[in-house]
Amino acid sequence: MPNVAVIGAQWGDEGKGKVVDWLASRADIVVRFQGGHNAGHTLVVGNQTYKLSLLPSGLVRGKLGIIGNGVVVDPWALLAEIARVQSQGLRVPPDMLRVADNAILILPLHGALDRAREAARGDARIGTTGRGIGPAYEDKVGRRAIRACDLAEPETLSAKLDELLLHHNTLLRGLGAETFEKQALLDSLLEIAPKILPYVEPVWERLDAARRDGRRILFEGAQAAMLDVDHGTYPFVTSSNTVAATAASGSGMGPSAVGFVLGIAKAYTTRVGSGPFPSELHDETGRQLGERGHEFGTVTGRPRRCGWFDAAMVRQAVKVGGIQGLALTKLDVLDGLDQLQICTGYTIAGARFAHLPAAPGAQAAALPIYETIDGWRDSTRGARSWADLPAQAIKYVRRIEELVEAPVTLLSTSPERDDTIMVRDPFQG
Ligand code: GDP
Ligand code: IMO
Ligand code: MG
């Protein structure tokens, strides 16, 4: 019985949370392995809506959640999120949530630097979530980050803060932003330590034991392949590797533990923040997709940019992400459109390209090559079997399968948990 890794195949917000929640009924443990509270995963269960940023989505099903070492954890955001979901009736005691002792902590200075840099970039801004994700990952590879385990060692914390503040205050001052004072930071970390430490452990040991016991692990990706720091539309990306390989290194397991790689894609495309988007629609159809799909960022509330399904981009995500099956979501949002376009490749300065080249100038200049396909009149919303789908909607799905070179293993037809069509159980490999 393999494990399953769920990753985004576009620019995020594909519906990973809904799919992870749905699959979690078949899993024993749900693991977050990268990203941080830049993620926003929405789960709709009956009349409750859960918006999760750091907490693994399996908690809603009462499944053990693990925050792996690859995640950057803002401890204040974590506690606030735990309090929020508890007020919705979920339980998150330390035996339901384990946080890697070697996970990196996001401090207030990371958010301050993120926002100061974005302000300095002006029109060239990336459109980050402003939550300090990039600066925290920089500190990790710069070997000066504070990790969850450091909360248990006040002397270590104190010494690390000296180094961290030397670095950050220099940058903040240069950007004309407010600097941070050591004692206040140390006090607030020491104040929060007893609330966080009960969750902290070497999660790799637990995961190793779970694997040997044959327990099913579901890896929950955040962001998406085209926001991957290596494979995405750099520099308009997030600061972590989002592809499935990271599920192993970001949780402390070997690559064979990752199992079946399920890529999630919307039946159209959206993007939040800046950066190239060849199939973006600036017209009435784009506005309609945004309205019908409720395309507003979960984290920042920003309207998402909308466009046609970009099969060339998803095909690239399939290849670099090792995606073995696709979950196609939000098919219902396309109901009633007369005709649909699918982007199958690009032209750049008159030359044809099957995939987006890496150079930012070329990416910005890429024009979509479209294939037109008829739409469908009948509703797909809430469909739970192929038999409930109009023939033309099935044709659209089949064409996407061909173009992206991966089978559709799940279809989602509304935000609601059970409005899902399973073609093949990812846990069966
Ligand atoms: P994630 O970041 O990949 O987990 O996705 P988000 O939760 O940020 O955004 C996806 C949005 O689409 C959420 O509001 C979901 O409730 C909603 N959603 C998920 N699947 C479907 C679907 O099949 N149809 C519709 N209409 N909405 C969906
Ligand atoms: P989920 O998990 C969509 C985008 C930001 C910005 C870029 C860098 O909900 O799919 P960052 O704060 O990470 O440094 O911002 O990445 N971004 C997302 N877009 N969904 C997300 O997460 C995102 N997380 C980051 O908008 O363009
Ligand atoms: Mg999201």
Side-chain angles (χ1 to χ4, degrees), residues 35 70-73 104-107 109-118 121 126 128 131-147 163-164 167-172 175 229 234-235 237-241:
V71 178
V72 282
V73 181
I104 302 301
L105 296 188
I106 299 184
L107 307 185
L109 48 78
H110 293 119
L113 182 58
D114 191 357
R115 294 185 293 271
R117 278 211 191 115
E118 282 283 271
R121 283 186 188 112
I126 291 164
T128 72
R131 296 193 159 188
I133 307 295
Y137 278 116
E138 285 171 35
D139 280 349
K140 173 179 176 169
V141 295
R143 295 171 295 197
R144 57 182 170 261
I146 290 176
R147 310 198 297 177
E163 189 190 352
L164 207 57
H167 181 83
H168 281 271
N169 280 341
T170 310
L171 288 171
L172 287 167
L175 287 161
V229 67
Y234 191 91
V237 293
T238 192
S239 294
S240 64
N241 284 112

Side-chain angles (χ1 to χ4, degrees), residues 200-320:
V200 174
E201 70 171 21
V203 297
W204 65 270
E205 287 181 350
R206 183 182 294 269
L207 288 169
D208 179 56
R211 190 154 99 95
R212 279 186 283 109
D213 291 346
R215 306 232 279 149
R216 287 174 170 188
I217 302 169
L218 179 56
F219 296 98
E220 176 177 8
Q223 291 84 50
M226 287 301 133
L227 288 172
D228 181 284
V229 67
D230 283 292
H231 301 291
T233 46
Y234 191 91
F236 301 99
V237 293
T238 192
S239 294
S240 64
N241 284 112
T242 58
V243 291
T246 317
S249 60
S251 62
M253 302 186 87
S256 64
V258 173
F260 187 87
V261 181
L262 182 68
I264 318 298
K266 271 180 208 184
Y268 50 101
T269 311
T270 63
R271 168 162 214 169
V272 205
S274 326
F277 183 170
S279 66
E280 182 168 13
L281 287 167
H282 298 282
D283 61 3
E284 178 57 21
T285 309
R287 202 196 54 74
Q288 262 185 30
L289 290 177
E291 197 176 287
R292 288 214 222 143
H294 301 290
E295 298 295 357
F296 294 92
T298 315
V299 170
T300 56
R302 292 176 287 179
R304 296 176 183 145
R305 301 155 64 192
C306 297
W308 295 119
F309 187 81
D310 187 341
M313 183 179 87
V314 175
R315 184 169 57 232
Q316 185 171 346
V318 164
K319 291 174 195 295
V320 299

Side-chain angles (χ1 to χ4, degrees), residues 12-13 16 39-41 298 304:
D13 303 324
K16 297 177 290 292
H41 299 173
T298 315
R304 296 176 183 145

Side-chain angles (χ1 to χ4, degrees), residues 19-168:
V19 173
V20 169
D21 169 61
W22 192 79
L23 284 174
S25 67
R26 294 160 199 270
D28 298 303
I29 303 178
V30 180
V31 183
R32 275 284 307 270
F33 55 89
Q34 47 71 230
H37 66 317
N38 50 347
H41 299 173
T42 307
L43 285 59
V44 181
V45 185
N47 55 11
Q48 279 279 19
T49 298
Y50 302 96
K51 292 186 183 294
L52 304 179
S53 278
L54 264 172
L55 293 175
S57 295
L59 282 170
V60 176
R61 295 267 193 185
K63 300 295 166 99
L64 175 67
I66 290 189
I67 295 181
N69 55 278
V71 178
V72 282
V73 181
D74 179 324
W76 295 276
L78 178 63
L79 292 176
E81 191 171 329
I82 291 173
R84 199 176 70 232
V85 299
Q86 280 180 339
S87 75
Q88 290 188 276
L90 291 187
R91 286 180 55 256
V92 195
D95 64 339
M96 286 296 295
L97 176 72
R98 310 306 294 153
V99 178
D101 54 1
N102 49 352
I104 302 301
L105 296 188
I106 299 184
L107 307 185
L109 48 78
H110 293 119
L113 182 58
D114 191 357
R115 294 185 293 271
R117 278 211 191 115
E118 282 283 271
R121 283 186 188 112
D123 286 345
R125 69 185 170 276
I126 291 164
T128 72
T129 58
R131 296 193 159 188
I133 307 295
Y137 278 116
E138 285 171 35
D139 280 349
K140 173 179 176 169
V141 295
R143 295 171 295 197
R144 57 182 170 261
I146 290 176
R147 310 198 297 177
C149 54
D150 298 334
L151 292 175
E153 295 184 359
E155 288 89 51
T156 306
L157 268 185
S158 174
K160 279 192 155 182
L161 277 177
D162 285 332
E163 189 190 352
L164 207 57
L165 283 172
L166 180 65
H167 181 83
H168 281 271

Side-chain angles (χ1 to χ4, degrees), residues 293-376:
H294 301 290
E295 298 295 357
F296 294 92
T298 315
V299 170
T300 56
R302 292 176 287 179
R304 296 176 183 145
R305 301 155 64 192
C306 297
W308 295 119
F309 187 81
D310 187 341
M313 183 179 87
V314 175
R315 184 169 57 232
Q316 185 171 346
V318 164
K319 291 174 195 295
V320 299
I323 291 171
Q324 293 162 292
L326 209 64
L328 199 62
T329 63
K330 305 191 94 162
L331 191 64
D332 54 294
V333 175
L334 300 178
D335 289 352
L337 291 175
D338 287 336
Q339 286 198 316
L340 309 170
Q341 315 268 14
I342 303 177
C343 172
T344 58
Y346 314 98
T347 52
I348 301 169
R352 290 174 84 91
F353 287 78
H355 298 113
L356 271 186
Q363 288 186 353
L367 298 172
I369 300 170
Y370 282 127
E371 178 177 301
T372 304
I373 180 165
D374 281 342
W376 53 90

